[in-house]
Amino acid sequence: MNGMFKNSRGLGDLAKHLHFADCIRDHNLDFLAISETGRREFPQSLLNRLSGGIEFEWYSRPPHGRSGGILLGVRTDTMEVLEVTEGNFHIKMHIRNKSDNFIWSLVAVYGPAQEASKTSFLIELVNLAKDNPHPIIIGGDFNLLRFPFEKSKGRFDNRWPLLFNAVIDSLNLREITMVGRQFTWANSLPEPTYEKLDRVLMDTDW
């Protein structure tokens, strides 16, 4: 089973569409989760271009204002979507692998950048993962740090990382180690600050 979580920072660029199609083909992806799409509608022609003509079943969440948005798709010849639910910050699927009948849960998230909405996001994260009947993968842009080394410079505010780590521990989640780079986001200043805001979590039952 192969999948990809990707922060696209918008989907208006044809080059990005072709990039996703190449990833699906080259890595034989069974699922693709895109955060920060910035789009409210996805015409079928766009979805076909993203998948390179391979049949995918797609679900989307619109952005909040000018930011956010989620697009989640699974390959229909390898997976069957049993159920789909969503919240303000996530899309969740229960999926059956057609090759071995293994049933699991896939969640794509886009956490809010605004401080006022972070509590709501963490509550939603708890509710979507607690008492889940199947092994679960949760990935995307959480817009939250966990540790001081996930920020290249500047003040590290421990408030949200403390709460975020408490939620992760309470749900028996573990983070998949990222290789190849340390950070996933940078601001646009001449000397930018780098942060790790995107990650993938799995429960210990997996």
Side-chain angles (χ1 to χ4, degrees):
M1 180 178 65
N2 298 315
M4 184 170 77
F5 295 91
K6 179 80 170 181
N7 188 318
S8 68
R9 290 197 173 188
L11 271 179
D13 188 343
L14 177 60
K16 291 182 179 180
H17 305 173
L18 299 178
H19 167 71
F20 285 120
D22 288 344
C23 287
I24 288 174
R25 182 189 66 249
D26 295 345
H27 301 288
N28 198 28
L29 297 183
D30 297 296
F31 72 84
L32 174 62
I34 306 173
S35 58
E36 203 169 353
T37 63
R39 297 184 66 103
R40 295 189 173 274
E41 297 182 356
F42 292 89
Q44 191 60 47
S45 58
L46 170 58
L47 297 176
N48 290 340
R49 191 157 60 244
L50 288 173
S51 67
I54 297 173
E55 190 67 32
F56 267 61
E57 186 171 344
W58 297 98
Y59 295 86
S60 65
R61 280 286 304 159
H64 299 273
R66 295 184 177 181
S67 66
I70 302 169
L71 180 65
L72 177 59
V74 300
R75 189 166 177 160
T76 58
D77 63 347
T78 60
M79 296 183 174
E80 178 188 4
V81 178
L82 304 177
E83 183 182 355
V84 180
T85 58
E86 61 181 63
N88 290 325
F89 308 104
H90 80 279
I91 301 173
K92 177 180 180 181
M93 294 179 176
H94 295 317
I95 295 171
R96 180 184 68 84
N97 291 349
K98 293 183 177 180
S99 61
D100 57 8
N101 290 321
F102 177 61
I103 297 176
W104 56 288
S105 300
L106 171 64
V107 182
V109 302
Y110 184 83
Q114 300 80 9
E115 294 280 317
S117 299
K118 290 187 183 294
T119 298
S120 298
F121 170 64
L122 289 175
I123 291 172
E124 187 167 301
L125 184 60
V126 169
N127 289 333
L128 71 87
K130 71 176 183 179
D131 301 324
N132 191 69
H134 312 296
I136 192 170
I137 296 176
I138 308 169
D141 185 349
F142 290 80
N143 263 312
L144 287 168
L145 298 168
R146 294 191 64 191
F147 307 107
F149 58 79
E150 294 183 343
K151 185 175 184 179
S152 64
K153 62 181 180 179
R155 186 174 71 91
F156 177 79
D157 184 351
N158 194 49
R159 177 193 176 193
W160 293 114
L162 186 66
L163 292 172
F164 188 28
N165 284 321
V167 167
I168 290 172
D169 289 342
S170 70
L171 296 172
N172 288 322
L173 298 174
R174 298 292 183 269
E175 182 168 351
I176 297 177
T177 302
M178 182 175 67
V179 297
R181 64 175 61 197
Q182 184 176 354
F183 306 108
T184 65
W185 175 88
N187 60 24
S188 55
L189 296 177
E191 295 183 3
T193 297
Y194 298 95
E195 298 181 353
K196 181 181 177 181
L197 302 177
D198 303 73
R199 61 191 79 241
V200 178
L201 306 172
M202 300 174 74
D203 65 2
T204 53
D205 286 342
W206 196 291

